[in-house]
Amino acid sequence: MDPDEARSGEAAGLQPVAAGTGRPAAGTAGSKRHIPPASLARLTIYLRALSVMLTDGIERVSSEELAEAAGVNSPMLRKDLSYLGSYGTRGVGYDVSYLSGQISAALGLTLNWRVAIVGAGNLGRALAGYPGFGTRGFEVVALFDADQTMIGQEVGGLKIRPVSALEAELEKTEANMAVLSVPAEVAQELCDRLVASGITSILSFAPVVLQAPKNVQIRKVDMATELQILAYHAQRAQVSEIASDARARLAR
Amino acid sequence: MDPDEARSGEAAGLQPVAAGTGRPAAGTAGSKRHIPPASLARLTIYLRALSVMLTDGIERVSSEELAEAAGVNSPMLRKDLSYLGSYGTRGVGYDVSYLSGQISAALGLTLNWRVAIVGAGNLGRALAGYPGFGTRGFEVVALFDADQTMIGQEVGGLKIRPVSALEAELEKTEANMAVLSVPAEVAQELCDRLVASGITSILSFAPVVLQAPKNVQIRKVDMATELQILAYHAQRAQVSEIASDARARLAR
DNA sequence: AAATGTGAAAGATTTCACAGCG
DNA sequence: CGCTGTGAAATCTTTCACATTT
């Protein structure tokens, strides 16, 4: 799913980097080989759990405790962290603040991410006002909508701009990420315009499969999909309940 | 989003589910052995692509075409469908309408899903008004909020109810699924109340790990996680670009 | 003594190639 | 002949056990 090598960064010397597929042995600090996608998703959860601990004034945590807080088991947590480096102390645990910093750095959250939100309906507004963004290196720098009546309204300290000015505003605000919260019908068209403007990271809430060059990373969040998956499990639970009722009856 | 399928795929880690190597015992439609989670997520995408085709009056489709529309490769699509049964015609392809019906049945979408939305902020309202729900077996039957000033407001034909009446309304409306679109601080408490009321399928947008009995299915959608994953990839792309620039300079 | 970090085994998922059927 | 359906191989992920370090 994803090519390429190292990154710049800081801190933490590290091993010669497993030879693997003839990758250049990483430079000085931080730069690791790639993090498995499954692991990556969990690292963001650890990060949040660590933030809460930091707020609560907790300074040290064991893999067992952090795993518990993140809803995974501890070997998995340790394996995930091992993709980044060795940031714990044997017999002791992890320093909450330090580990938090290391994960942030590995995920690239120390860079300046400037997000444009395209579509200022309820979803777009919810996103624009979402506190979770601002607090972790993401700054919402522009908000667009096609609806004339919305233009100029302020949401979360940001004026809604006309989508006709998309390209100009993207450039002016130096956005480097975009969120698509528009109806399915226009999502591909807007995606194309974002890509043409040089955006290579897009989070889409539109229930369509977007086509884009493969240097563009697209992630999709799909509420209907999520509910359908729940429905599948619920249905099975129902069926097996009925089945076990039947067994219970037969057993008498 | 994964895929995630599109990449929305991963995340939402649930427990192992001891497999058991049994044959899919070809019954009629519906109750097959279990569908692998990764496959399940993609099936919902196929379903949507098929709906579009149905609307467009397309009657037949090959695995190649459907895979293309869903953004996957055709062997994968065929493998996914094979978990449900053999619904195609060799040498020909699939009947759009028939396949669509079979997938719907397998996912349990022919049952009556009644969704309660807890939290009527922008996100809750966006969900209440989301057309994708109504159109596939999901009916929003209740909408709650704790904010007094919102009580009684109408959103998408539904009056907002006080969250204090949660239990009573859940029973009255016979809701069998819930969506949590509330702040992180109160998510666990509301989750507990939902579970106590007999809800066993919950979709949460709150950025916290929810604890619940394991007969309760919880899925989590987390915007911050999604952006962080994008950031990781974008950062790597940047660095490798810089690295290759450097190599280019050195090569001269 | 306690808890990390990691090879190696076990388990899932994806890819592949081609047998099988219309 | 064309396209589906599926075993088997390749790859990725999770689990496990324990050597290692403080």
Side-chain angles (χ1 to χ4, degrees):
Chain A
M1 172 106 220
D2 158 34
D4 296 341
E5 49 233 42
R7 69 172 175 85
S8 76
E10 43 73 60
L14 71 126
Q15 309 90 331
V17 178
T21 7
R23 272 315 177 3
T28 339
S31 50
K32 284 286 181 160
R33 277 181 57 60
H34 97 140
I35 301 171
S39 197
L40 184 53
R42 286 186 301 265
L43 284 166
T44 68
I45 311 293
Y46 306 153
L47 196 50
R48 182 156 44 231
L50 288 167
S51 295
V52 172
M53 291 174 183
L54 214 45
T55 305
D56 292 355
I58 298 172
E59 291 181 0
R60 245 179 24 201
V61 69
S62 68
S63 64
E64 195 62 61
E65 293 160 343
L66 183 52
E68 154 88 33
V72 304
N73 54 28
S74 67
M76 183 138 99
L77 174 115
R78 293 201 301 275
K79 184 57 123 179
D80 286 339
L81 293 183
S82 80
Y83 293 119
L84 309 188
S86 306
Y87 300 137
T89 306
R90 293 172 193 230
V92 177
Y94 303 89
D95 180 277
V96 172
S97 166
Y98 179 68
L99 182 58
S100 173
Q102 292 300 325
I103 296 178
S104 291
L107 299 192
L109 303 181
T110 51
L111 302 181
N112 193 235
W113 298 110
R114 304 172 61 79
V115 182
I117 297 176
V118 184
N122 276 318
L123 184 55
R125 286 155 189 253
L127 295 165
Y130 183 51
F133 283 2
T135 58
R136 214 181 300 307
F138 298 96
E139 185 185 352
V140 179
V141 297
L143 180 54
F144 298 96
D145 205 284
D147 182 346
Q148 280 300 329
T149 68
M150 284 192 188
I151 311 301
Q153 279 181 31
E154 231 178 72
V155 178
L158 218 67
K159 271 216 178 66
I160 299 176
R161 301 285 172 199
V163 78
S164 55
L166 184 70
E167 288 76 4
E169 289 286 326
L170 288 176
E171 178 153 12
K172 189 156 69 180
T173 56
E174 299 181 63
N176 50 13
M177 280 194 173
V179 174
L180 270 178
S181 44
V182 299
E185 303 78 61
V186 296
Q188 181 64 59
E189 176 205 328
L190 286 164
C191 172
D192 293 344
R193 286 174 65 185
L194 289 170
V195 171
S197 298
I199 299 288
T200 56
S201 300
I202 300 174
L203 174 56
S204 171
F205 288 83
V208 282
V209 176
L210 296 174
Q211 309 292 339
K214 61 181 165 329
N215 67 310
V216 177
Q217 284 283 333
I218 297 188
R219 291 192 61 87
K220 218 182 75 183
V221 170
D222 189 329
M223 336 257 188
T225 285
E226 299 300 327
L227 277 197
Q228 289 174 9
I229 291 173
L230 282 174
Y232 170 75
H233 291 297
Q235 169 224 33
R236 304 196 89 229
Q238 267 183 29
V239 171
S240 71
E241 196 181 294
I242 290 164
S244 67
D245 283 0
R247 276 197 302 279
R249 264 194 306 284
L250 286 169
R252 289 197 223 115
Chain B
M1 186 184 38
D2 100 57
D4 218 166
E5 9 328 86
R7 264 310 18 143
S8 57
E10 69 267 356
L14 285 195
Q15 282 305 29
V17 181
T21 332
R23 279 256 37 211
T28 326
S31 70
K32 287 292 184 147
R33 270 202 78 57
H34 98 143
I35 301 171
S39 196
L40 185 52
R42 287 187 300 266
L43 283 165
T44 68
I45 311 293
Y46 306 153
L47 196 51
R48 183 155 45 232
L50 288 168
S51 296
V52 172
M53 289 175 185
L54 215 44
T55 304
D56 293 355
I58 297 171
E59 291 180 3
R60 246 177 27 200
V61 69
S62 67
S63 64
E64 193 63 63
E65 292 161 342
L66 183 51
E68 155 87 33
V72 304
N73 54 29
S74 67
M76 183 137 99
L77 173 115
R78 292 201 301 275
K79 183 56 119 181
D80 287 339
L81 294 183
S82 80
Y83 292 119
L84 310 189
S86 307
Y87 299 138
T89 306
R90 291 170 195 233
V92 177
Y94 303 89
D95 179 277
V96 173
S97 167
Y98 179 68
L99 182 57
S100 174
Q102 292 299 324
I103 297 178
S104 291
L107 299 193
L109 303 181
T110 51
L111 301 181
N112 192 236
W113 298 111
R114 304 172 64 77
V115 183
I117 298 177
V118 184
N122 277 318
L123 183 53
R125 287 155 188 253
L127 295 166
Y130 183 51
F133 283 1
T135 59
R136 214 183 301 305
F138 297 96
E139 186 184 352
V140 179
V141 297
L143 181 54
F144 299 94
D145 206 283
D147 183 344
Q148 281 299 332
T149 67
M150 281 191 189
I151 312 300
Q153 279 183 35
E154 232 179 71
V155 178
L158 217 66
K159 272 214 176 69
I160 299 177
R161 302 284 170 200
V163 78
S164 56
L166 183 70
E167 288 78 3
E169 290 285 327
L170 287 176
E171 181 155 7
K172 188 154 70 180
T173 56
E174 299 181 64
N176 51 12
M177 281 195 173
V179 174
L180 271 179
S181 44
V182 299
E185 303 78 60
V186 295
Q188 181 65 59
E189 176 205 326
L190 287 164
C191 173
D192 292 343
R193 287 175 64 186
L194 289 169
V195 171
S197 298
I199 298 289
T200 56
S201 300
I202 300 174
L203 174 57
S204 171
F205 288 84
V208 282
V209 176
L210 296 174
Q211 309 291 339
K214 59 181 166 329
N215 67 310
V216 177
Q217 284 284 332
I218 297 188
R219 293 194 60 90
K220 217 182 77 184
V221 170
D222 189 329
M223 337 258 187
T225 286
E226 299 300 327
L227 277 196
Q228 287 173 10
I229 292 173
L230 281 173
Y232 170 75
H233 291 298
Q235 167 225 36
R236 305 193 91 230
Q238 266 184 31
V239 171
S240 72
E241 195 182 294
I242 291 163
S244 65
D245 282 1
R247 277 199 300 279
R249 264 195 306 285
L250 286 168
R252 289 197 219 111

